[in-house]
Amino acid sequence: MPHLIGELCIACGACEPECPVQCISPGDIYVIDPSLCIDCGTCASLCPVEAIAPA
């Protein structure tokens, strides 16, 4: 099950460089491509505002 980034995202960028499959895209709110996400949870563990959770 892929992770999703919710409205709490502050676009800090902490998650993007740590993704092992580069499935996170920057923007006003970052976005995870669910077709590429391997559900490792690395991004969720790094998010300072807990905006990332399993779908």
Side-chain angles (χ1 to χ4, degrees):
M1 178 181 305
H3 280 66
L4 295 176
I5 301 176
E7 293 179 8
L8 295 176
C9 177
I10 58 172
C12 69
C15 59
E16 183 186 9
E18 301 303 321
C19 179
V21 293
Q22 293 82 42
C23 71
I24 303 173
S25 300
D28 292 337
I29 292 177
Y30 279 46
V31 176
I32 295 175
D33 182 338
S35 68
L36 298 176
C37 180
I38 59 171
D39 192 31
C40 68
T42 301
C43 57
S45 69
L46 295 170
C47 183
V49 294
E50 298 179 0
I52 306 173

